[in-house]
């Protein structure tokens, strides 16, 4: 098993050799750094942390699918254009109260899905 943890997206040359037959193949593999998912924000209109900042992901992957679910499992937010439509703590034209939501972020179909919890603090 090969593990790579670069600080930025990087190309690696990967060569695999079968010891018994000496057959080999070499490929260039790009390891993407997707960024971090911030898990808290404070939408109180003070100009600081007023929306859920996913710029570490959406800068490189603007078409990532972002979904939020409430504690009952109901989808309350969904977008494939997060840069233009960030979550600002408003659902159905109403400001949310302090709460925790479950997120699902699909960066690409062939990559693992990012999941976790987002806390809105008022």
């Amino acid at each position: 098993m090969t593990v790579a943890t670069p600080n930025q997206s990087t190309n690696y040359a990967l060569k695999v050799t079968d010891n018994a037959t000496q057959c080999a193949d070499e490929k260039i593999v790009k390891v993407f750094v997707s960024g971090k998912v911030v898990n808290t924000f404070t939408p109180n209109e003070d100009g600081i942390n007023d929306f859920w900042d996913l710029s570490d992901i959406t800068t490189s992957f603007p078409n990532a699918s972002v979904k939020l679910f409430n504690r009952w499992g109901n989808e309350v937010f969904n977008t494939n254009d997060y840069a233009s439509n960030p979550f600002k703590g408003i659902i159905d034209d109403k400001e949310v109260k302090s709460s925790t939501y479950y997120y699902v972020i699909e960066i690409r179909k062939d990559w693992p899905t990012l999941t976790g919890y987002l806390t809105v603090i008022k």
Side-chain angles (χ1 to χ4, degrees):
M1 176 171 72
T2 301
V3 177
T5 55
N7 292 327
Q8 62 186 17
S9 297
T10 306
N11 287 327
Y12 289 94
L14 179 65
K15 183 176 182 179
V16 178
T17 304
D18 182 311
N19 290 334
T21 64
Q22 295 304 306
C23 290
D25 194 13
E26 188 170 334
K27 298 288 182 192
I28 301 297
V29 177
K30 182 155 190 159
V31 175
F32 292 96
V33 176
S34 62
K36 64 179 180 176
V37 177
V38 177
N39 64 0
T40 306
F41 77 107
T42 57
N44 56 8
E45 298 181 20
D46 66 354
I48 302 169
N49 298 320
D50 284 337
F51 66 96
W52 187 26
D53 185 3
L54 293 178
S55 59
D56 278 2
I57 293 172
T58 58
T59 298
S60 298
F61 305 98
N63 298 320
S65 168
V66 179
K67 297 178 185 177
L68 282 176
F69 299 86
N70 64 17
R71 69 176 101 188
W72 298 281
N74 300 319
E75 184 178 292
V76 296
F77 180 83
N78 184 345
T79 186
N80 289 324
D81 184 15
Y82 195 84
S84 299
N85 184 31
F87 183 61
K88 298 179 181 178
I90 297 174
I91 297 173
D92 296 330
D93 297 324
K94 297 177 185 162
E95 291 184 14
V96 299
K97 296 178 181 177
S98 293
S99 190
T100 300
Y101 298 88
Y102 182 74
Y103 66 79
V104 175
I105 302 172
E106 285 186 5
I107 295 175
R108 290 178 29 166
K109 296 289 184 196
D110 56 335
W111 283 20
T113 300
L114 304 175
T115 59
Y117 293 95
L118 169 68
T119 302
V120 178
I121 300 171
K122 292 292 229 161

